[in-house]
Amino acid sequence: MKMNRLFEITIILLNKGSVTAKELADRFGVSTRTIYRDIDVLSSTGVPVYTNKGNGGGIHLLESYAIERTLISEQESENLLLAIKTLQATQYPELDMILEKMGAIFKHAPDHDWVEVDFSPWGSAPNDKNKFNDIKRAMLQRQVLCFDYVDGEGHKSNRLAEPAKLLFKDNAWYLVAHCRQRQAQRTFRISRMKNLKTLTETFTPQVSPQPEPAESKAEKQPLVSLKLRFQAKVLNRLYDYFADSLISHNADGSFTLDAVLPEGEWLYGYILSLGSFVEVQEPEHVRQLIASRLQQALNIYEI
């Protein structure tokens, strides 16, 4: 128990630099006298810890102690931060404590190949696997990006952008960047960025208004109350986008979705992508629209 306490005290000092004996005593449920004995033990083992009395006093750790024991480069620390933050997004249990310890003693972090994060979609070209890392590197080095982009309306254009932030939202990665063509901050879906190139030109980050959310156009579309009946084979597609409370299980093994959604191309495309595994039951005008588009597709294949 004492060894664990000594270890945690060291971690706290490495991260905070200074703390009072009372704070440590309250945290570990011991007396301040016990804490001072612990400090004597740490000092005897070579940890440069010292105490000051009076206002502003407390237990301190030499700032150089953390620096001397940080055996990773700045670039490596950035890569480690990216990896840990990515894992943190999964709400991995007790990760905050792990982050606290790793932040203080990088050299003791285990080096095991126990997780792989691949930001490229299934079926993507080999070069797409490097796209995310290229964007990250350009962002850290303040380099301009050049790429072809297809927006939500299907319009293709070439862009020059100054990357500012990576954003993960609604099962997709986005890049928030200052677009030179639009002279404003924009949000780009990374999967729609093609022929990405990092230019040698660098830039000074600009303070821009917050960009309009990438999916805000959907919010402006009229809402429609839908009732869709899904075959059990595509239940996974339901869970990709909708909460359990919107899905009911039918006696014949099918599932019904009752939801209010923005009506537009995303909705039509989602329904059509499920083919014969989904039926629009309500409203009638959406049912007729889907039937018409299916007929148009069928006409293409008729001989």
Side-chain angles (χ1 to χ4, degrees):
M1 178 65 181
K2 181 176 181 179
M3 290 301 299
N4 289 338
R5 188 170 65 246
L6 291 173
F7 178 75
E8 289 196 41
I9 289 174
T10 305
I11 295 300
I12 292 170
L13 289 171
L14 280 166
N15 283 296
K16 294 186 175 181
S18 176
V19 68
T20 66
K22 185 177 184 307
E23 287 176 316
L24 292 175
D26 291 342
R27 173 162 180 163
F28 297 110
V30 297
S31 66
T32 56
R33 180 174 296 181
T34 298
I35 294 298
Y36 282 120
R37 284 199 295 265
D38 289 343
I39 297 306
D40 289 338
V41 172
L42 289 173
S43 180
S44 67
T45 61
V47 178
V49 60
Y50 63 97
T51 60
N52 283 338
K53 296 182 179 180
N55 292 334
I59 302 168
H60 307 271
L61 187 68
L62 289 179
E63 184 178 353
S64 61
Y65 181 70
I67 296 173
E68 291 169 357
R69 283 156 177 76
T70 302
L71 303 181
I72 63 171
S73 66
E74 182 179 352
Q75 182 177 355
E76 289 170 335
S77 66
E78 291 167 346
N79 291 336
L80 179 59
L81 178 61
L82 173 66
I84 296 299
K85 287 294 186 181
T86 301
L87 183 59
Q88 192 176 34
T90 67
Q91 299 182 353
Y92 189 85
E94 301 180 352
L95 188 59
D96 289 340
M97 179 59 70
I98 296 173
L99 277 170
E100 182 181 2
K101 292 181 178 180
M102 290 186 68
I105 50 170
F106 287 107
K107 71 172 184 177
H108 295 308
D111 184 17
H112 297 299
D113 187 18
W114 58 274
V115 64
E116 179 180 353
V117 180
D118 187 348
F119 298 104
S120 60
W122 293 105
S124 59
N127 289 339
D128 283 347
K129 294 184 178 181
N130 299 321
K131 186 191 300 182
F132 190 94
N133 288 330
D134 289 343
I135 293 172
K136 181 204 71 174
R137 191 177 301 109
M139 186 179 308
L140 295 175
Q141 297 177 0
R142 301 287 189 261
Q143 291 178 286
V144 178
L145 290 173
C146 176
F147 54 91
D148 294 327
Y149 190 70
V150 178
D151 64 20
E153 303 296 324
H155 302 138
K156 185 176 180 180
S157 60
N158 183 264
R159 303 293 184 98
L160 290 174
E162 301 169 3
K165 181 171 66 174
L166 288 164
L167 170 68
F168 184 80
K169 186 176 179 62
D170 194 22
N171 297 320
W173 279 100
Y174 296 87
L175 169 67
V176 179
H178 177 79
C179 177
R180 291 189 171 179
Q181 279 82 351
R182 303 293 185 267
Q183 283 299 301
Q185 202 170 64
R186 290 290 187 267
T187 302
F188 303 98
R189 183 163 175 153
I190 291 180
S191 62
R192 298 176 186 163
M193 297 169 60
K194 304 297 181 182
N195 301 317
L196 179 73
K197 295 179 182 178
T198 302
L199 305 183
T200 57
E201 180 185 357
T202 59
F203 64 92
T204 300
Q206 303 186 35
V207 179
S208 304
Q210 287 299 312
E212 185 179 357
E215 302 301 326
S216 62
K217 291 182 179 179
E219 297 174 1
K220 299 176 182 178
Q221 293 171 337
L223 298 178
V224 59
S225 296
L226 281 171
K227 177 175 286 189
L228 307 177
R229 186 170 67 88
F230 290 80
Q231 298 297 320
K233 289 183 178 181
V234 291
L235 181 60
N236 61 313
R237 296 286 301 277
L238 270 175
Y239 283 161
D240 282 343
Y241 292 101
F242 304 108
D244 289 350
S245 59
L246 302 176
I247 304 169
S248 57
H249 192 189
N250 302 319
D252 63 357
S254 65
F255 293 85
T256 297
L257 171 72
D258 288 285
V260 177
L261 298 171
E263 184 174 356
E265 289 303 321
W266 179 90
L267 177 61
Y268 306 148
Y270 176 76
I271 295 173
L272 289 167
S273 71
L274 294 165
S276 61
F277 296 113
V278 64
E279 177 191 357
V280 179
Q281 296 183 316
E282 297 177 10
E284 183 61 26
H285 78 274
V286 175
R287 181 182 175 90
Q288 293 300 323
L289 185 147
I290 296 299
S292 174
R293 292 199 177 187
L294 287 171
Q295 185 60 56
Q296 292 173 24
L298 183 61
N299 291 339
I300 296 175
Y301 294 95
E302 288 182 346
I303 299 177

